């Protein structure tokens, strides 16, 4: 980023921050409540600018955790589900697509004819249009070469290598350095108030589980995602799970509530997703039955300087947010810090 | 149970218990370790008779939780998976079959022709042979009438009514009073030592989740079972999950390890199942990769007086136990108390 741009951005943040400090009083009751607790720091969400989204989150947590309050929710009902790509880490490129492309390049080095055949050609070129058109059979072919026909343990080794070696094309750091700092703070804040936090994402379940604890403090058993069919086999003396290329579950749109139910058996009290494909609308709706206090956040990528700026073709997510009263998180305005990147 | 039988049984237990106290020294190291902890009671498993199974369990927990020991396992790897029917509560009759029969009788009261048609006729008569032969299409028909074509919330109400009203034909108490006391102690003992406890059963996931916390201290999100396909719908203002009669997953035999992986993403360090159908063999194998200390328990129903006595046609479970060194739990010899029934 050129230096003048960075300064202009900083100016704008300072102005917004000062306005927010003057205008915002809604979060006070909640903050006083937190201040009464000896462990609470004065601001549990320092990477969030003051404003409506932050105060709505703090108010929500105060309301559902204040004993005797009208909106009090016992600990066992404090379930929060977060999408991953574009909600907890960047999706330009989709990290797992970068992994698959790397695996494909290695396969092409062994068999150069692969690069001339579909769907491999499209995948190497990042031609998502072709892949969406070609649908599940193409995906199965791709997964067969890159992520299946091996044991879970082998897949784990290969994905760990990717996370150790690959660098993000824009930021030049490992993908595991790119958790959104404000969302990590929010996850920690929720857990400190008795919430159990889950990921529910279209990403591959096994891929995410390798880094979810390290990046977000979310253990593997709290990660719901897309997955392949596996077979139990005994390989010599060793009982293993074999990854077939067939798809067992795609976790997206209307299947997110269904898979959340299958995994947790409880309706989330809070859900967060992002604007791009409409993939989180059903999950956010599911978390908001009438007559119950709940919280829905929808991240909008509007910060080309610090992250990326992109929208959604049919505007379905933002339309749903307006209709249902969900909180739209503007990365530009709401996040003081986007990443906690090491100084270089 | 006639009184003389009860006394003979008591005599036999006292003899076995005294022999066990004299002969057993294997568990001492583990018990000393526990005694060092101020919270530990002298015997964390009072419903278990002293003997090889009890001392193997205590030894296992001591070995994997002793810091610095060769077999030490960090908390995040302490995963224990338990079958339910016949492992945590009785399976004569299978509780969910009793529920389905009750629902069928109510349906027949409205439409008497149902009782003349298969598979309803067989289900009402408890003719498992016919149902196994007829397979999944018959099951789908049964579930359609008894457990599907309604919202999750309606199903929950109906199953809760069953648990409140139904009584076990032999014991005359609600099914929720019939957790095996020694297994509940074992679950508590494992959790007190950092284990996360899960159910992995062929039973219906939603059915078990209604009582798993109350009966075993296992929350809904830690219950893996068989389940129907569901659809996300918005019913007026209310987002709901609709139960279709199609089957999404049968959790049995080789699919148990696969579903444990999908749900937890970790290999269990301890697993427990029972003798009847061979349904737990794969789960126990999966928990026992070579070169790692683990524990496998297989409950054998050999106590016609206090519970039930039955075996397995092809003896596959007991054969596997011998081959792999799993611990066979004899209800007759190993359990001092079977149920914690209220005095009547």
């Amino acid at each position: 980023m050129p230096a003048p741009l960075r300064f202009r951005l900083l100016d704008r943040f300072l102005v917004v921050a000062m306005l927010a400090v003057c205008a915002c009083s809604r979060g006070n009751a909640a903050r006083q409540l937190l201040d009464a607790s000896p462990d609470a720091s004065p601001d549990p969400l320092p990477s969030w600018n003051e404003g409506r989204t932050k105060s709505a989150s703090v108010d929500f947590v105060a309301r559902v955790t204040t004993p005797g309050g009208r909106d009090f929710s016992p600990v066992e009902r404090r379930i929060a589900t977060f999408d991953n790509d574009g909600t907890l880490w960047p999706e330009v490129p989709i990290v797992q697509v970068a992994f698959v492309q790397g695996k494909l390049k290695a396969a092409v080095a062994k068999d150069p004819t692969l690069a001339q055949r579909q769907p491999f050609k499209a995948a190497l070129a990042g031609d998502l249009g072709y892949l969406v058109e070609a649908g599940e059979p193409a995906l199965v072919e791709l997964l067969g070469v890159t992520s299946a026909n091996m044991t879970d343990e082998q897949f784990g080794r290969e994905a760990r290598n990717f996370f150790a070696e690959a660098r993000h094309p824009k930021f030049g750091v490992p993908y595991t350095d790119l958790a959104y700092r404000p969302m990590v703070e929010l996850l920690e804040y929720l857990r400190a108030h008795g919430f159990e936090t889950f990921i529910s994402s279209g990403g591959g379940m096994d891929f995410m589980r390798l880094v979810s604890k390290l990046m977000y403090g979310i253990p593997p058993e709290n990660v719901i995602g897309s997955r392949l069919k596996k077979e139990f086999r005994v390989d010599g003396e060793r009982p293993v799970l074999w990854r077939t290329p067939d798809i067992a579950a795609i976790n997206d749109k209307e299947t997110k509530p269904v898979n959340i139910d299958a995994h947790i058996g409880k309706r989330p009290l809070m859900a967060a997703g992002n604007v791009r494909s409409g993939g989180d609308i059903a999950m956010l709706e599911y978390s908001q039955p009438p007559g119950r206090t709940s919280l829905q956040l929808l991240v909008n990528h509007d910060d080309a300087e610090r992250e990326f700026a992109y929208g959604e073709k049919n505007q379905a997510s933002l339309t749903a947010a307006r209709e249902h009263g969900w909180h739209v998180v503007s990365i530009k305005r709401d996040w003081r810090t986007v990443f906690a990147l090491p100084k270089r």
Side-chain angles (χ1 to χ4, degrees), chain A residues 10-25 48-51 333 336:
Chain A
L10 189 67
D11 282 353
R12 207 179 308 161
F13 278 124
L14 287 175
V15 172
V16 170
M18 285 190 311
L19 284 175
V21 167
C22 300
C24 163
S25 64
W48 290 75
N49 288 314
E50 299 305 319
R333 289 192 311 274
R336 182 171 296 152

Side-chain angles (χ1 to χ4, degrees), chain A residues 312-329:
Chain A
E312 191 172 300
K313 262 188 196 165
N314 60 4
Q315 302 279 326
S317 297
L318 288 172
T319 306
R322 252 193 318 275
E323 273 172 19
H324 296 287
W326 302 338
H327 294 274
V328 176
V329 178

Side-chain angles (χ1 to χ4, degrees), chain A residues 17-63:
Chain A
M18 285 190 311
L19 284 175
V21 167
C22 300
C24 163
S25 64
R26 287 182 55 194
N28 280 351
R31 269 195 302 279
Q32 279 163 13
L33 197 126
L34 283 167
D35 288 342
S37 149
D39 294 339
S41 71
D43 183 356
L45 301 171
S47 300
W48 290 75
N49 288 314
E50 299 305 319
R52 276 197 295 183
T53 312
K54 178 174 181 172
S55 61
S57 301
V58 173
D59 279 354
F60 161 74
V61 169
R63 288 168 68 179

Side-chain angles (χ1 to χ4, degrees), chain A residues 207-219:
Chain A
F207 190 72
M208 294 186 282
R209 280 175 168 174
L210 293 170
V211 295
S212 61
K213 180 76 182 168
L214 170 80
M215 293 183 71
Y216 316 123
I218 296 179

Side-chain angles (χ1 to χ4, degrees), chain A residues 135-192:
Chain A
E136 197 167 305
L139 190 55
V140 166
E141 270 200 274
L142 276 178
L143 292 173
V145 168
T146 61
S147 306
N149 299 313
M150 61 181 90
T151 65
D152 259 356
E153 284 154 352
Q154 188 181 343
F155 176 78
R157 281 192 295 275
E158 296 186 1
R160 268 189 216 95
N161 282 346
F162 167 83
F163 283 117
E165 289 166 12
R167 295 293 177 270
H168 189 280
K170 174 168 177 174
F171 303 108
V173 297
Y175 288 99
T176 45
D177 284 351
L178 294 175
Y180 296 137
R181 184 65 217 152
M183 294 307 256
V184 172
E185 285 172 6
L186 182 59
L187 287 166
E188 286 167 356
Y189 178 59
L190 289 165
R191 288 192 292 261

Side-chain angles (χ1 to χ4, degrees), chain A residues 175-304:
Chain A
Y175 288 99
T176 45
D177 284 351
L178 294 175
Y180 296 137
R181 184 65 217 152
M183 294 307 256
V184 172
E185 285 172 6
L186 182 59
L187 287 166
E188 286 167 356
Y189 178 59
L190 289 165
R191 288 192 292 261
H193 287 80
F195 276 79
E196 199 173 358
T197 56
F198 291 83
I199 287 174
S200 175
S201 162
M205 191 136 82
D206 292 332
F207 190 72
M208 294 186 282
R209 280 175 168 174
L210 293 170
V211 295
S212 61
K213 180 76 182 168
L214 170 80
M215 293 183 71
Y216 316 123
I218 296 179
E221 59 267 36
N222 286 15
V223 175
I224 310 164
S226 299
R227 58 193 171 88
L228 299 177
K229 284 197 180 123
K230 297 185 190 176
E231 287 171 10
F232 176 68
R233 293 184 182 179
V234 180
D235 177 14
E237 288 278 286
R238 192 167 181 79
V240 297
L241 293 178
W242 184 257
R243 302 168 66 85
T244 82
D246 295 329
I247 291 164
I250 298 279
N251 192 47
D252 195 33
K253 296 194 167 75
E254 275 72 23
T255 64
K256 281 199 177 187
V258 172
N259 290 329
I260 285 170
D261 170 69
H263 201 96
I264 314 178
K266 297 172 183 173
R267 197 189 279 262
L269 196 60
M270 186 264 157
N274 71 285
V275 175
R276 186 182 203 179
S277 66
D280 295 316
I281 296 173
M283 175 168 76
L284 270 60
E285 279 185 287
Y286 182 54
S287 73
Q288 194 182 28
R292 196 188 69 164
T293 291
S294 58
L295 179 73
Q296 292 74 32
L297 300 181
L298 187 74
V299 177
N300 193 23
H301 293 264
D302 58 0
D303 192 331

